[in-house]
């Protein structure tokens, strides 16, 4: 008899699924009716927080993200709750001082998070260390991610070496974070095998189905011995989201990797979320385009969300006909910048620079501060060799940072406490303010002085909202 080795599932319906397809617009009221069912499903974890949810809760949904987390924990006490955490960026777009990173990890765990998936856009392990140490200090499970990409410097040896370093750092599990669906099925088999042979902690795979290969990637990784994979219930699965949970569960039934999940219960949960998906569609946030297979991600190594963002920028400039010129420019900019993986925030930086190079008619004639920051080392160490001629043109004689960027930051919490003392009711409020000062202030002022609620205005162009907050399939 074959020895059973059940594949474990992380369900993303409460976070990445609706972030990737519906501008992160699922509300707590949409989640609660299914919570008991989800909690009894037998998932390894439920991803429900972090990424774009924190910002969108306050900015658009009039929800306190901390209260959402506490509510979900109260309704799902049996299952590990998981979040996505951008290393030294936390959930924002700049580096924060270590005191902010530590307290955010502490409060996330105190309020209900069990598993924290930590990643860095550049795979600079210096930007991961403080978050990993803090998660473990406060009793959480530190899952550390390899931001997967394809380039001359990103090969299997690179990722295996990185995984070994992360295990030494204290990672409880290692995630292959394939945010752009670039990992192809046969390569997934090889990479998982090499990682399983090189580290002793569980290997977790996160992919999307943008290019239509996600189900095959999961299946080949499963055959190679991957321990956990991310899936989404079918109403918000596939396309720019994760492969469908039910399909993989059905595929593995009766095999040595049988997940043990009940298809009937999964279908019952899917029935609820089908209604939620219909509502999001009526509200204009679920565009059928996000369900279509788009192989441009494989051709240009560009995440789907980044493609739509660049198209929006070209529309604003009245140069939509330059779309393919921009697509061809993206790999050139990425090479000049030392081959950063394209995930928040590097995806936005490289994509915007490519648009500016084409629109201006001269490469690096216009250079946004974010591009300059990336080339100065403000985001960490770039993985490949930077084009020094381009760097000089962009930042002149500015000194390049070679230390961990956060080492240059003094403790920030005292300042944030002082700035938010008129609106903050608790330390969680201070952290909300630290990450999104303007958004949090507006939210807390309205919360502290409630007025009759106004319905959220439907965006004139739902795609414009999605471009900003879906984040390049990997936030």
């Amino acid at each position: 008899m074959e020895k059973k080795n059940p594949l474990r599932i992380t369900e993303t319906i409460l976070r990445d699924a609706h972030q990737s397809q519906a501008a992160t617009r699922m509300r707590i009221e949409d989640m609660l009716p299914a919570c008991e069912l989800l909690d009894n499903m037998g998932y390894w974890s439920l991803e429900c927080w972090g990424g774009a949810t924190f910002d969108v809760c306050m900015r658009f949904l009039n929800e306190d993200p901390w209260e959402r987390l506490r509510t979900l924990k109260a309704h799902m006490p049996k299952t590990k709750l998981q979040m996505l955490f951008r290393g030294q960026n936390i959930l924002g777009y700049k580096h924060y001082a270590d005191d902010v990173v530590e307290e955010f990890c502490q409060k996330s765990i105190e309020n209900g998070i069990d598993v924290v998936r930590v990643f860095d856009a550049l795979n600079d392990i210096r930007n991961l260390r403080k978050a990993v140490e803090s998660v473990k200090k406060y009793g959480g499970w530190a899952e550390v991610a390899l931001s997967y990409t394809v380039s001359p410097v990103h090969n299997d040896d690179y990722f295996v070496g990185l995984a070994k370093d992360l295990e030494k750092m204290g990672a409880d599990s290692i995630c292959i974070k394939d945010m752009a669906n670039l990992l192809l099925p046969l390569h997934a088999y090889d990479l998982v095998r090499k990682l399983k042979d090189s580290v002793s902690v569980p290997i977790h795979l996160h992919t999307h189905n943008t290019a239509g290969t996600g189900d095959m990637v999961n299946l080949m990784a499963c055959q190679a011995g991957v321990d956990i994979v991310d899936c989404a219930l079918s109403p918000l699965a596939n396309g720019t989201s994760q492969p469908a949970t039910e399909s993989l569960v059905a595929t593995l039934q009766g095999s040595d990797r049988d997940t043990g999940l009940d298809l009937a219960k999964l279908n019952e949960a899917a029935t609820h979320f089908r209604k939620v998906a219909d509502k999001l569609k009526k509200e204009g946030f679920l565009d059928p385009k996000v369900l279509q297979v788009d192989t441009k991600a494989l051709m240009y190594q560009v995440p789907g969300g980044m493609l739509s963002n660049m198209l929006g920028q070209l529309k604003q400039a009245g140069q939509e006909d330059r779309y393919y010129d921009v697509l061809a420019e993206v790999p050139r900019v990425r090479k000049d910048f030392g081959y950063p993986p394209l995930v928040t925030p590097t995806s936005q930086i490289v994509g915007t620079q490519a648009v500016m190079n084409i629109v201006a008619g001269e490469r690096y004639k216009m250079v946004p501060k974010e591009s300059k920051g990336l080339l100065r080392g403000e985001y960490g160490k770039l993985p490949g060799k930077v084009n020094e001629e381009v760097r000089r043109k962009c930042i002149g004689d500015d000194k390049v940072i070679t230390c961990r960027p956060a080492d240059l930051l003094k403790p920030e919490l005292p300042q944030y406490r002082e700035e938010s003392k008129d609106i903050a009711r608790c330390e969680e409020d201070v952290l909300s303010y630290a990450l999104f000062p303007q958004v949090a202030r507006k939210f807390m002022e309205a919360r502290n002085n409630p007025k009759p609620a106004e319905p959220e205005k439907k965006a004139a162009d739902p795609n414009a909202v999605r471009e900003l907050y879906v984040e390049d399939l990997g936030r």
Side-chain angles (χ1 to χ4, degrees), residues 91-109:
L91 303 176
Y93 303 100
K94 66 171 187 175
H95 277 212
Y96 293 88
D98 285 344
D99 61 336
V100 184
V101 173
E102 177 167 345
E103 181 153 305
F104 201 97
C105 291
Q106 178 186 356
K107 291 299 178 183
S108 298
I109 292 164

Side-chain angles (χ1 to χ4, degrees), residues 148 177-182 208 210 297 301-303 342 472-473:
Y148 181 81
K177 183 174 169 52
D178 179 27
M179 56 277 177
N181 192 204
L182 296 179
H208 291 253
T210 318
Q301 299 177 11
V302 173
L342 296 180
D472 309 323
L473 308 185

Side-chain angles (χ1 to χ4, degrees), residues 346-400:
T346 52
S347 49
Q348 292 92 330
I349 295 170
V350 170
T352 299
Q353 187 63 63
V355 170
M356 287 186 170
N357 286 359
I358 296 301
V359 169
E362 179 187 329
R363 302 188 78 225
Y364 306 108
K365 181 179 182 180
M366 297 188 295
V367 184
K369 65 178 183 179
E370 291 80 9
S371 289
K372 293 177 181 179
L374 189 62
L375 290 168
R376 281 195 202 102
E378 291 174 11
Y379 294 88
K381 187 179 188 302
L382 289 158
K385 186 177 179 183
V386 174
N387 183 328
E388 291 299 336
E389 186 179 335
V390 167
R391 178 139 59 186
R392 278 194 300 276
K393 184 172 183 178
C394 293
I395 68 171
D397 296 325
D398 288 1
K399 188 177 179 182
V400 177

Side-chain angles (χ1 to χ4, degrees), residues 84-102 105 116-135 142-147 158 162 165-166 169 340-341 343-346 349 373-374 376-383 401-409:
L84 183 63
F85 191 101
R86 287 199 288 275
Q88 212 69 31
N89 296 147
I90 309 179
L91 303 176
Y93 303 100
K94 66 171 187 175
H95 277 212
Y96 293 88
D98 285 344
D99 61 336
V100 184
V101 173
E102 177 167 345
C105 291
V116 182
R117 179 180 290 167
V118 186
F119 81 96
D120 177 68
L122 300 179
N123 287 319
D124 187 337
I125 62 173
R126 301 172 303 172
N127 294 336
L128 298 166
R129 184 169 283 110
K130 185 61 184 179
V132 172
E133 289 173 353
S134 300
V135 170
E143 177 165 288
V144 194
L146 316 170
S147 292
Y158 169 91
L162 184 58
D165 289 340
L166 297 178
M169 186 191 289
V343 62
T344 300
T346 52
I349 295 170
L374 189 62
R376 281 195 202 102
E378 291 174 11
Y379 294 88
K381 187 179 188 302
L382 289 158
I401 297 168
T402 56
C403 66
R404 184 182 75 119
D407 287 342
L408 304 175
L409 301 175

